[in-house]
Amino acid sequence: MYPVTAPPTPDRFVKPENLIGQTRLGDSEYRSVVRLLTWLGRVRAADVAHPRVRRWGVPAFYALGGVPALVLAARDSGLHFVLVLAITAGYTVPLLWRRQRPVLVFAFLVALSEAALFLGVDSGSSATQLVALLNLGRFGAPGQLAVGVVYNLLQTFVSIVFFNGLKGSSQAGTPVLAFLAVVAILSMAALGLAGKLVNAYIEALQEHAVRLELERDQRAQLAAATERARVAREMHDILGHTLAVIVGLAGGAAGLAETKPKRGAETLRIIAESGRGALAELRRLLAVIHDDEPGDTPLSPQPGLADLNALMERVRAAGPAATLRLKGELTGLPQGLQLAVYRIVQEALTNTLKHAAPNTTVEVTVAADPEAVHVTVEDTGPHRSPGAADQGKGLVGMRERAALYGGQVTAGPNSRGGWTVRALLVPAPTAPDLTEKHPA
């Protein structure tokens, strides 16, 4: 069975560029959004890695706001100081459970604020009620948030009127205080609700992106398996031809053993070299699964480097101007390696024809040195997105063929406005060309 990619998990990291598209955004705007999302992702990752910082930091921050009231209470009396300290702790300590119990924390702070209002205690930490309202919007139900907003508005109006009446001050500043309080309450409620919606939307986008990545990986695995099966069928033809020649040589060597011992020994050496070459090719196919398809012709000869000229003629007939350059000693390459080079060039030219413009030119270079075979297919356009190359079966097939010979394939845009495919294949020692050494 073919390997299956693991199912998506909530902790799986999804890159920002996979969450948003570039279709409706310009290049500069797209890069800015990706940078912003990347920064926010790092902040979120740091928050997840160190959850106690935010959990304890928010209560500690609001506790500092109550220090001035504690200093004034200490100057008044010890009982007053204890009362202010208890109310300050009541405002801040429950915030440690603001995410797990948002409704309970909000209800407790509301009750505490009513008690503080009744006792006439003014603590600088009373703003924690807005934090509780924010978390009620993020983690509570919309109906609970609506009830909390209405209650906060009524409590605010009552508090403003109560303190103004208690202090005997004029009502000149009441509208301003009421307006600021309403803005603060509605803003925190809106931020909490927006945070809830944004988090839900981002989670949905992440799940969708993970599913797309999973489907893409599965398609790539299926494409690779199909290509390996195709390679196996083609290599089967080569091995079958090699073994047929070995059988013929063995029969000839038996007849030459008595009449021409020297020629018979030469034939036996060719058989040994051919057998080693066939075994080398066979080792490369141990992990390849044979999968017959209708319409295959397994007995037909497989193409090699000699067929590249005919391939280039077909490309020229389709429109693009195509040139072929062969460098180094290529005639002695094993037939399986020649087939791999041919298929890589064929697939690269097929991709060029798919995206070809009227004035497209393509250059194919195949160079051999003692260490490796280098294949380069370069065209002049039009420009293609780098992400598009990883989605198709063509690049998967080329990589599979290169990997069969210990090589690799790279593809990407070039300086001429087009696309370049580079392949590196490492030939292994194989049998010599049997058609040239067949004894008479």
Side-chain angles (χ1 to χ4, degrees):
M1 296 179 63
Y2 303 124
V4 179
T5 306
T9 60
D11 296 334
R12 181 171 177 178
F13 175 73
V14 179
K15 297 180 179 179
E17 51 266 30
N18 293 336
L19 288 176
I20 61 175
Q22 196 176 3
T23 304
R24 298 184 179 181
L25 298 177
D27 291 338
S28 59
E29 185 179 2
Y30 176 78
R31 288 193 296 268
S32 301
V33 173
V34 168
R35 283 196 295 267
L36 177 60
L37 290 178
T38 301
W39 180 79
L40 291 176
R42 292 173 180 172
V43 173
R44 180 177 177 83
D47 182 41
V48 173
H50 307 282
R52 294 184 178 180
V53 174
R54 182 160 60 115
R55 183 184 179 187
W56 291 85
V58 173
F61 174 79
Y62 283 98
L64 293 176
V67 171
L70 289 173
V71 173
L72 293 177
R75 295 176 182 176
D76 187 7
S77 65
L79 181 61
H80 190 208
F81 174 81
V82 173
L83 181 60
V84 174
L85 179 62
I87 292 178
T88 302
Y91 275 130
T92 55
V93 173
L95 293 182
L96 295 174
W97 296 274
R98 62 190 182 276
R99 294 170 63 94
Q100 294 85 354
R101 299 287 187 270
V103 178
L104 182 61
V105 170
F106 178 78
F108 178 82
L109 293 181
V110 167
L112 182 63
S113 63
E114 294 289 351
L117 182 64
F118 177 78
L119 296 174
V121 178
D122 185 13
S123 174
S125 301
S126 58
T128 55
Q129 194 171 347
L130 294 177
V131 178
L133 182 64
L134 172 67
N135 285 273
L136 183 62
R138 291 185 60 189
F139 306 107
Q144 295 170 341
L145 176 63
V147 173
V149 169
V150 171
Y151 191 88
N152 269 162
L153 292 176
L154 293 176
Q155 185 188 44
T156 299
F157 289 131
V158 171
S159 300
I160 292 175
V161 173
F162 177 79
F163 271 106
N164 285 336
L166 183 65
K167 296 178 180 180
S169 58
S170 64
Q171 303 294 320
T174 301
V176 176
L177 293 175
F179 175 77
L180 294 177
V182 169
V183 170
I185 293 172
L186 295 181
S187 298
M188 298 303 284
L191 285 176
L193 185 59
K196 183 184 185 71
L197 297 177
V198 168
N199 287 337
Y201 184 66
I202 290 178
E203 289 177 0
L205 284 179
Q206 287 179 329
E207 292 178 0
H208 180 66
V210 170
R211 283 196 299 269
L212 290 179
E213 290 181 359
L214 175 61
E215 294 174 0
R216 182 196 64 189
D217 294 341
Q218 291 177 340
R219 286 196 300 267
Q221 291 171 1
L222 291 175
T226 303
E227 190 63 28
R228 286 195 297 269
R230 181 184 177 190
V231 172
R233 291 192 299 272
E234 294 173 346
M235 296 300 293
H236 171 270
D237 301 339
I238 296 174
L239 291 175
H241 170 71
T242 302
L243 293 176
V245 173
I246 289 177
V247 172
L249 290 174
L256 294 174
E258 297 180 358
T259 58
K260 298 180 180 179
K262 183 180 294 186
R263 196 60 178 273
E266 179 183 353
T267 303
L268 292 175
R269 284 193 296 270
I270 295 177
I271 292 175
E273 293 175 355
S274 303
R276 283 192 294 269
L279 288 175
E281 297 290 348
L282 190 59
R283 291 190 187 99
R284 295 190 178 99
L285 300 178
L286 291 178
V288 178
I289 299 177
H290 185 84
D291 184 18
D292 291 325
E293 293 181 1
D296 288 346
T297 55
L299 299 179
S300 61
Q302 297 297 341
L305 296 182
D307 299 287
L308 287 178
N309 287 319
L311 178 62
M312 301 300 290
E313 289 296 333
R314 292 195 293 271
V315 173
R316 296 187 189 102
T323 58
L324 173 64
R325 294 186 178 88
L326 303 178
K327 302 178 181 180
E329 183 59 37
L330 300 172
T331 57
L333 295 178
Q335 190 174 355
L337 181 59
Q338 293 190 35
L339 174 63
V341 172
Y342 179 89
R343 293 302 188 194
I344 290 175
V345 173
Q346 183 184 41
E347 187 59 46
L349 291 176
T350 300
N351 291 335
T352 297
L353 291 177
K354 288 180 181 178
H355 303 275
N359 58 345
T360 297
T361 62
V362 57
E363 297 180 359
V364 178
T365 304
V366 180
D369 55 42
E371 302 294 333
V373 176
H374 304 269
V375 180
T376 303
V377 181
E378 183 177 29
D379 61 56
T380 58
H383 175 73
R384 280 171 262 171
S385 170
D390 294 331
Q391 303 297 330
K393 298 181 179 180
L395 187 58
V396 173
M398 288 188 284
R399 285 173 174 167
E400 288 293 327
R401 291 184 180 275
L404 194 64
Y405 287 91
Q408 58 184 1
V409 174
T410 59
N414 55 43
S415 59
R416 303 172 63 184
W419 198 259
T420 299
V421 175
R422 291 185 175 87
L424 172 68
L425 300 94
V426 182
T430 55
D433 191 344
L434 301 178
T435 58
E436 297 180 359
K437 294 189 176 182
H438 200 293

